[in-house]
Amino acid sequence: LAQDLRCDDNKGYIVVRVLFVLGVISIVVVVGIQNISRSRTFQIAGKLVHRVDTNQKLVALTFDDGPSEGYTQDILKTLDNFSVKATFFLVGGAMERNPHLAKLIVNSGHEIGNHSYSHQRMMFMAYDDIANELKKTHQLIDQAGYTGEIYFRPPYARKLLNLPLYLSRSHITSVTWDLEPETNPNLAKDRNLMIEHVVDNVRPGSIILMHIMFKARGESMEAIPGMIERLQGQGYQFVTVSELLAAGKSGV
Ligand SMILES: [Zn+2]
């Protein structure tokens, strides 16, 4: 009898152990998928660039979302004051509502990228819906008169399987960033802290992400002149994403 009991105990112990291991595996898988889906530096298929490998003091300033009325004109004026060309990852829906603003950005000599049509998280989106999001926005960028290469930036940097697959098949390069001062809420509320963060962490080939198309991002908008001034003072030249990629040794 004693032996039978011990045997049952062992079985129970094994079941608990198996459940524990399965639980740990599921957690690891879920956390892994989450990390892969929001990685700035890794994508399962297709090319992703988060910075460029170069010895030249080049940096790309990129703006996400919009275009929205007023903020577009404001940022174009600031960029013009410093003779800086930037890259705008625009949302198709917003371009459709504000075609004049998209044209204004193009006519000012800046680069336009595709930031999807509806700005949803695209990790679990159906393949055909992804294709639609990108194609519609691509057409709107064409209609704005932009003729350069069109890069893609996933909303919230989220991508998993279908999106990388579509990008890879369509030979579209994803462009993320290596500097995002606004992501830290303590920095985002103070233009000077954002400027310091960028000045301290920039290196040749960096891609800076900023949001300036909304009222809530007033500090970001105010940070831009100082950011440009400080980096130009250090000998950095602002270029578009295309120009940065062309200067890169390996596009890593
Ligand atoms: Zn966005």
Side-chain angles (χ1 to χ4, degrees):
L1 180 68
Q3 206 166 8
D4 279 358
L5 273 178
R6 211 165 38 238
C7 190
D8 275 357
D9 270 2
N10 273 344
K11 273 184 199 155
Y13 178 66
I14 287 168
V15 168
V16 167
R17 248 177 96 144
V18 166
L19 286 178
F20 177 75
V21 169
L22 285 178
V24 168
I25 289 173
S26 339
I27 290 168
V28 167
V29 167
V30 167
V31 170
I33 286 175
Q34 248 179 8
N35 283 335
I36 286 173
S37 78
R38 65 176 164 221
S39 171
R40 272 78 167 131
T41 54
F42 174 79
Q43 184 175 284
I44 228 147
K47 191 175 168 191
L48 175 127
V49 174
H50 77 288
R51 62 176 308 278
V52 155
D53 195 12
T54 174
N55 296 325
Q56 301 175 64
K57 280 189 140 182
L58 301 176
V59 61
L61 188 51
T62 67
F63 300 107
D64 278 13
D65 310 337
S68 51
E69 190 67 42
Y71 305 102
T72 302
Q73 290 90 335
D74 287 352
I75 192 65
L76 290 179
K77 212 168 139 191
T78 300
L79 295 173
D80 228 37
N81 285 341
F82 292 94
S83 301
V84 161
K85 297 293 180 232
T87 303
F88 291 80
F89 287 92
L90 300 180
V91 175
M95 292 177 77
E96 211 163 52
R97 288 190 297 277
N98 305 292
H100 62 294
L101 296 180
K103 284 201 178 101
L104 196 60
I105 296 172
V106 175
N107 292 339
S108 307
H110 301 284
E111 183 161 319
I112 295 195
N114 187 330
H115 194 38
S116 83
Y117 180 82
S118 61
H119 204 276
Q120 297 173 56
R121 284 175 173 77
M122 297 174 89
M123 299 120 76
F124 303 114
M125 197 179 272
Y127 191 88
D128 289 350
D129 294 339
I130 289 171
N132 249 331
E133 287 267 341
L134 271 85
K135 281 181 192 162
K136 268 202 290 191
T137 305
H138 194 117
Q139 273 170 12
L140 288 157
I141 295 174
D142 285 346
Q143 284 163 22
Y146 181 72
T147 53
E149 167 108 30
I150 299 173
Y151 301 101
F152 178 70
R153 179 169 280 171
Y156 313 100
R158 292 293 184 136
K159 63 233 157 303
L160 197 55
L161 293 172
N162 283 344
L163 178 57
L165 211 57
Y166 175 80
L167 293 168
S168 170
R169 283 179 184 161
S170 312
H171 308 288
I172 299 170
T173 299
S174 297
V175 174
T176 53
W177 54 84
D178 65 331
L179 288 175
E180 45 179 330
E182 299 161 320
T183 302
N184 180 338
N186 292 325
L187 301 185
K189 59 185 182 211
D190 185 327
R191 67 194 77 170
N192 292 315
L193 293 179
M194 283 191 276
I195 294 170
E196 290 309 321
H197 176 83
V198 168
V199 169
D200 289 347
N201 294 285
V202 72
R203 47 186 180 143
S206 277
I207 300 175
I208 305 170
L209 163 67
M210 295 295 286
H211 295 81
I212 41 76
M213 291 288 181
F214 309 107
K215 193 177 179 203
R217 294 294 191 176
E219 276 306 302
S220 296
M221 182 71 99
E222 294 298 334
I224 301 301
M227 201 176 282
I228 294 174
E229 222 161 23
R230 292 279 302 277
L231 293 182
Q232 283 182 338
Q234 292 192 358
Y236 275 96
Q237 192 191 335
F238 285 85
V239 293
T240 62
V241 163
S242 291
E243 290 168 332
L244 192 67
L245 289 180
K249 281 185 286 199
S250 58
V252 172

mmCIF file of all heavy atoms in Angstrom, residues 2-16:
data_model
loop_
_atom_site.group_PDB
_atom_site.id
_atom_site.type_symbol
_atom_site.label_atom_id
_atom_site.label_comp_id
_atom_site.label_asym_id
_atom_site.label_seq_id
_atom_site.Cartn_x
_atom_site.Cartn_y
_atom_site.Cartn_z
ATOM 1 N N ALA A 2 1.889 1.212 0.849
ATOM 2 C CA ALA A 2 2.789 2.363 0.941
ATOM 3 C C ALA A 2 3.408 2.666 -0.415
ATOM 4 O O ALA A 2 3.521 3.823 -0.818
ATOM 5 C CB ALA A 2 3.893 2.088 1.965
ATOM 6 N N GLN A 3 3.747 1.584 -1.129
ATOM 7 C CA GLN A 3 4.383 1.774 -2.428
ATOM 8 C C GLN A 3 3.399 2.425 -3.419
ATOM 9 O O GLN A 3 3.762 3.320 -4.178
ATOM 10 C CB GLN A 3 4.831 0.428 -2.967
ATOM 11 C CG GLN A 3 5.988 0.568 -3.919
ATOM 12 C CD GLN A 3 6.660 -0.762 -4.189
ATOM 13 O OE1 GLN A 3 6.167 -1.818 -3.781
ATOM 14 N NE2 GLN A 3 7.774 -0.727 -4.880
ATOM 15 N N ASP A 4 2.070 1.923 -3.377
ATOM 16 C CA ASP A 4 1.053 2.496 -4.279
ATOM 17 C C ASP A 4 0.905 3.994 -4.056
ATOM 18 O O ASP A 4 0.777 4.769 -4.993
ATOM 19 C CB ASP A 4 -0.316 1.831 -4.028
ATOM 20 C CG ASP A 4 -0.365 0.488 -4.749
ATOM 21 O OD1 ASP A 4 0.640 0.175 -5.425
ATOM 22 O OD2 ASP A 4 -1.372 -0.198 -4.624
ATOM 23 N N LEU A 5 0.875 4.368 -2.765
ATOM 24 C CA LEU A 5 0.694 5.785 -2.442
ATOM 25 C C LEU A 5 1.830 6.623 -3.009
ATOM 26 O O LEU A 5 1.629 7.680 -3.586
ATOM 27 C CB LEU A 5 0.632 5.978 -0.921
ATOM 28 C CG LEU A 5 -0.749 5.823 -0.305
ATOM 29 C CD1 LEU A 5 -0.661 5.977 1.200
ATOM 30 C CD2 LEU A 5 -1.734 6.818 -0.885
ATOM 31 N N ARG A 6 3.040 6.090 -2.824
ATOM 32 C CA ARG A 6 4.211 6.809 -3.306
ATOM 33 C C ARG A 6 4.128 6.997 -4.834
ATOM 34 O O ARG A 6 4.423 8.046 -5.377
ATOM 35 C CB ARG A 6 5.484 6.041 -2.938
ATOM 36 C CG ARG A 6 6.633 6.994 -2.709
ATOM 37 C CD ARG A 6 7.817 6.373 -2.013
ATOM 38 N NE ARG A 6 8.148 5.041 -2.375
ATOM 39 C CZ ARG A 6 8.212 4.017 -1.515
ATOM 40 N NH1 ARG A 6 7.943 4.203 -0.241
ATOM 41 N NH2 ARG A 6 8.550 2.808 -1.920
ATOM 42 N N CYS A 7 3.629 5.895 -5.463
ATOM 43 C CA CYS A 7 3.481 5.916 -6.918
ATOM 44 C C CYS A 7 2.509 7.027 -7.345
ATOM 45 O O CYS A 7 2.783 7.807 -8.236
ATOM 46 C CB CYS A 7 2.979 4.555 -7.394
ATOM 47 S SG CYS A 7 3.044 4.402 -9.172
ATOM 48 N N ASP A 8 1.330 7.129 -6.638
ATOM 49 C CA ASP A 8 0.348 8.176 -6.949
ATOM 50 C C ASP A 8 0.951 9.564 -6.738
ATOM 51 O O ASP A 8 0.722 10.471 -7.523
ATOM 52 C CB ASP A 8 -0.900 8.025 -6.051
ATOM 53 C CG ASP A 8 -1.863 7.023 -6.660
ATOM 54 O OD1 ASP A 8 -1.556 6.541 -7.775
ATOM 55 O OD2 ASP A 8 -2.882 6.718 -6.034
ATOM 56 N N ASP A 9 1.695 9.657 -5.625
ATOM 57 C CA ASP A 9 2.343 10.936 -5.343
ATOM 58 C C ASP A 9 3.232 11.354 -6.504
ATOM 59 O O ASP A 9 3.218 12.500 -6.935
ATOM 60 C CB ASP A 9 3.220 10.821 -4.084
ATOM 61 C CG ASP A 9 2.398 11.162 -2.857
ATOM 62 O OD1 ASP A 9 1.195 11.422 -3.037
ATOM 63 O OD2 ASP A 9 2.958 11.149 -1.747
ATOM 64 N N ASN A 10 3.980 10.376 -6.996
ATOM 65 C CA ASN A 10 4.885 10.666 -8.106
ATOM 66 C C ASN A 10 4.125 11.157 -9.329
ATOM 67 O O ASN A 10 4.522 12.099 -9.981
ATOM 68 C CB ASN A 10 5.683 9.411 -8.493
ATOM 69 C CG ASN A 10 6.934 9.326 -7.621
ATOM 70 O OD1 ASN A 10 7.308 10.309 -6.989
ATOM 71 N ND2 ASN A 10 7.539 8.152 -7.584
ATOM 72 N N LYS A 11 2.964 10.457 -9.590
ATOM 73 C CA LYS A 11 2.172 10.854 -10.772
ATOM 74 C C LYS A 11 1.689 12.296 -10.635
ATOM 75 O O LYS A 11 1.781 13.085 -11.565
ATOM 76 C CB LYS A 11 0.952 9.927 -10.925
ATOM 77 C CG LYS A 11 1.250 8.674 -11.717
ATOM 78 C CD LYS A 11 -0.024 7.873 -11.916
ATOM 79 C CE LYS A 11 0.291 6.434 -12.265
ATOM 80 N NZ LYS A 11 -0.817 5.532 -11.887
ATOM 81 N N GLY A 12 1.154 12.576 -9.413
ATOM 82 C CA GLY A 12 0.678 13.938 -9.170
ATOM 83 C C GLY A 12 1.802 14.932 -9.370
ATOM 84 O O GLY A 12 1.629 15.960 -10.012
ATOM 85 N N TYR A 13 2.973 14.596 -8.884
ATOM 86 C CA TYR A 13 4.130 15.475 -8.979
ATOM 87 C C TYR A 13 4.495 15.722 -10.441
ATOM 88 O O TYR A 13 4.751 16.850 -10.861
ATOM 89 C CB TYR A 13 5.291 14.817 -8.224
ATOM 90 C CG TYR A 13 6.567 15.613 -8.278
ATOM 91 C CD1 TYR A 13 6.654 16.865 -7.652
ATOM 92 C CD2 TYR A 13 7.687 15.121 -8.941
ATOM 93 C CE1 TYR A 13 7.816 17.592 -7.696
ATOM 94 C CE2 TYR A 13 8.855 15.850 -8.994
ATOM 95 C CZ TYR A 13 8.915 17.084 -8.364
ATOM 96 O OH TYR A 13 10.077 17.804 -8.418
ATOM 97 N N ILE A 14 4.416 14.613 -11.226
ATOM 98 C CA ILE A 14 4.761 14.743 -12.654
ATOM 99 C C ILE A 14 3.757 15.653 -13.372
ATOM 100 O O ILE A 14 4.132 16.524 -14.140
ATOM 101 C CB ILE A 14 4.832 13.347 -13.323
ATOM 102 C CG1 ILE A 14 6.110 12.645 -12.848
ATOM 103 C CG2 ILE A 14 4.832 13.459 -14.842
ATOM 104 C CD1 ILE A 14 6.165 11.173 -13.182
ATOM 105 N N VAL A 15 2.443 15.447 -13.050
ATOM 106 C CA VAL A 15 1.420 16.288 -13.693
ATOM 107 C C VAL A 15 1.655 17.762 -13.371
ATOM 108 O O VAL A 15 1.629 18.621 -14.253
ATOM 109 C CB VAL A 15 0.000 15.845 -13.249
ATOM 110 C CG1 VAL A 15 -1.037 16.888 -13.678
ATOM 111 C CG2 VAL A 15 -0.345 14.490 -13.835
ATOM 112 N N VAL A 16 1.919 18.039 -12.093
ATOM 113 C CA VAL A 16 2.162 19.420 -11.679
ATOM 114 C C VAL A 16 3.370 19.983 -12.436
ATOM 115 O O VAL A 16 3.354 21.117 -12.925
ATOM 116 C CB VAL A 16 2.388 19.502 -10.150
ATOM 117 C CG1 VAL A 16 2.962 20.871 -9.764
ATOM 118 C CG2 VAL A 16 1.087 19.254 -9.410
#
